[in-house]
Amino acid sequence: MGFNTSLLHGAAAEDRYGSTQTPVYQVSAFAHESAEELEKVFANRAPGFSYSRIGNPTVSAFEKRIAALEGGIGAVACSSGMSAVTMALLNILQAGDEVIAGSGLFGGTIDLFGDLAGFGITARFAESVTAESIAPLINERTKAVFTELIGNPKLDVVDIDAVARVCHDNGIPLIIDSTTATPYLVRPFEHGADIVVHSASKYINGGGNSIAGVIVDSGSFRWDSGKFPQFGKYRIFGRNSYLAKLRNGFWRNAGACLSPFNAFMCSVGLETLGLRMERICSNAKKLAEHLSSLDGVTVNYPALESSPYYPLVQSQLGGRGGGILTIRAGSREKAFALINRLKYALIATNIGDIRTLVIHPASTIYLHSTKEQREKAGVYDDTIRVSVGIEDIGDLINDFENAIKGDNGNG
Ligand SMILES: *Cc1c(COP(=O)(O)O)cnc(C)c1O
């Protein structure tokens, strides 16, 4: 099956009336015929649902579709992308442990590592995550390497095969935040990643109508090496031990569940992921190429030949650079003026919408970061992040060109 066919026919809707979509089971609890039956459902000895914080048919259908799309053994949906990042990490970390992360991470994730420091979990940052940069940071306390596939907004691309090799030589899992890449660009498990997380609020949903997250497990990492003693009773689940521990442990107890309605919206959005990404990647490339030919701005987009990541985009991402580009306008004032002159691009803190969105990261998402943290994340005073939408490319090019030229006094 090709990508678009598999989005529609890969995991069927679950409903006895033949609904083409799994309906929204907008309920808190599920009633059962007898006390014995509910006992079995609670003990995982019978299929079924008891309470929507623990499991829900609409959410479960969404999880199965994502797992199938990534080629994983299962998925757990979360209330947000940040909740997915948090749960994916806390499922395997304890006080005293260390994580290696890229310094170009999403601002919320950088802030999260600050929060985790209060619980004795240390993040060690590599400027960009490469086989060479992480090797010297690994020690006996290192329990995971966490990185975004295409950094948001640094737009550095990770060579998954090379990084996974170093991780596995040291007995540690590679966790990839694949929000900006989506399975349309690459399926990280095919390159050796162990766990994938997504903010489904972005490209998976696509319409900018829900906050959601999801964690997917490849099933290939061995958690019984002695490095992860907290897996204890979950070891009997073998390949499923990571997901079993997550579902029965921290995820359930922290109440990180996705709402059935948001799962439904994300499921509907997911069906057009291929079409949207095809258009978004094509628009982003054309816009990046056009803007790089103009005076007064510099453009960063991984699929531009001028990008240091161009070869990796060809070999790992099928030549597609995703939907985000950044523009440097020369100064903070010029960046603000450019943003304010745009007609179609909305000024909003989101990515992956069908509408083109722009933001000045230094004064918003990175407001709480130090100048050093910002610059390591590729965020300068004059940086504008553009999340390209599905508008007609001619309109987008005109909009940005007029906004840039306006700055030169050409109207
Ligand atoms: C948006 C985003 C997140 C956080 O997701 P929310 O759904 O907003 O909680 C995490 N990682 C990346 C790369 C993101 O773009």
Side-chain angles (χ1 to χ4, degrees), residues 80-82 85 106 109 148 152 177 179 199 201-202 211-212 351:
S80 67
M82 282 319 303
V85 170
F106 176 70
T109 307
E148 282 161 31
N152 167 18
D177 179 337
T179 300
S199 166
S201 323
K202 315 289 173 54
I211 299 296
I351 57 168

Side-chain angles (χ1 to χ4, degrees), residues 70-391:
E70 285 288 10
I73 58 165
V76 173
C78 298
S79 54
S80 67
M82 282 319 303
S83 150
V85 170
T86 308
M87 297 300 136
L89 289 167
L90 292 186
N91 196 36
I92 57 169
L93 297 178
Q94 292 182 311
D97 290 346
E98 295 186 5
V99 188
I100 297 171
S103 50
L105 290 179
F106 176 70
T109 307
I110 302 260
D111 290 351
L112 173 72
F113 282 121
D115 299 332
L116 293 181
F119 296 88
I121 294 166
T122 306
R124 302 217 171 273
F125 291 102
E127 181 99 29
S128 275
V129 170
T130 63
E132 295 71 29
S133 72
I134 61 168
L137 299 176
I138 296 176
N139 61 43
E140 69 285 356
R141 291 184 297 281
T142 310
K143 296 296 166 68
V145 170
F146 182 95
T147 185
E148 282 161 31
L149 188 40
I150 305 178
N152 167 18
K154 192 174 186 179
L155 306 180
D156 48 341
V157 183
V158 171
D159 182 341
I160 316 171
D161 295 276
V163 171
R165 222 170 291 129
V166 176
C167 289
H168 296 158
D169 285 348
N170 289 280
I172 52 181
L174 174 60
I175 306 178
I176 297 271
D177 179 337
S178 199
T179 300
T180 48
T182 82
Y184 178 77
L185 264 59
V186 65
R187 304 209 300 173
F189 295 153
E190 291 173 359
H191 296 268
D194 300 294
I195 304 290
V196 163
V197 301
H198 286 282
S199 166
S201 323
K202 315 289 173 54
Y203 294 98
I204 288 177
N205 174 284
N209 58 51
S210 304
I211 299 296
V214 63
I215 303 168
V216 199
D217 183 7
S218 66
S220 51
F221 191 79
R222 303 281 313 243
W223 303 96
D224 55 1
S225 65
K227 231 182 185 1
F228 299 93
Q230 70 271 41
F231 270 71
K233 63 178 178 183
Y234 293 106
R235 294 213 181 108
I236 55 159
F237 290 95
R239 290 185 78 203
N240 286 301
S241 55
Y242 179 91
L243 289 175
K245 182 171 186 297
L246 186 64
R247 252 186 213 292
N248 294 290
F250 210 74
W251 170 84
R252 166 192 297 202
N253 299 330
C257 60
L258 180 60
S259 88
F261 186 73
N262 285 3
F264 178 78
M265 295 307 277
C266 290
S267 260
V268 172
L270 185 63
E271 298 182 333
T272 57
L273 179 69
L275 277 180
R276 285 183 285 109
M277 288 307 286
E278 189 180 333
R279 173 68 166 236
I280 285 172
C281 290
S282 152
N283 273 1
K285 182 137 191 269
K286 287 177 186 155
L287 186 63
E289 280 168 351
H290 187 82
L291 299 187
S292 354
S293 71
L294 301 180
D295 290 335
V297 291
T298 55
V299 179
N300 181 17
Y301 181 62
L304 284 181
E305 274 182 59
S306 57
S307 165
Y309 299 104
Y310 180 79
L312 198 51
V313 167
Q314 304 308 309
S315 62
Q316 184 177 269
L317 307 181
R320 297 156 305 187
I324 304 176
L325 52 99
T326 57
I327 302 173
R328 292 190 63 180
S331 70
R332 175 190 153 101
E333 290 66 37
K334 286 183 179 169
F336 272 49
L338 197 165
I339 289 175
N340 290 338
R341 274 194 294 267
L342 288 165
K343 263 195 321 203
Y344 300 129
L346 306 181
I347 306 166
T349 178
N350 193 13
I351 57 168
D353 199 315
I354 42 177
R355 285 155 275 263
T356 296
L357 310 175
V358 293
I359 195 163
H360 179 253
S363 63
T364 54
I365 317 167
Y366 285 84
L367 187 61
H368 304 294
S369 307
T370 62
K371 188 170 158 64
E372 193 198 343
Q373 279 175 328
R374 283 205 291 269
E375 296 199 344
K376 281 194 171 160
V379 173
Y380 301 89
D381 276 346
D382 63 342
T383 303
I384 299 169
R385 183 186 71 188
V386 185
S387 173
V388 179
I390 63 167
E391 295 92 345

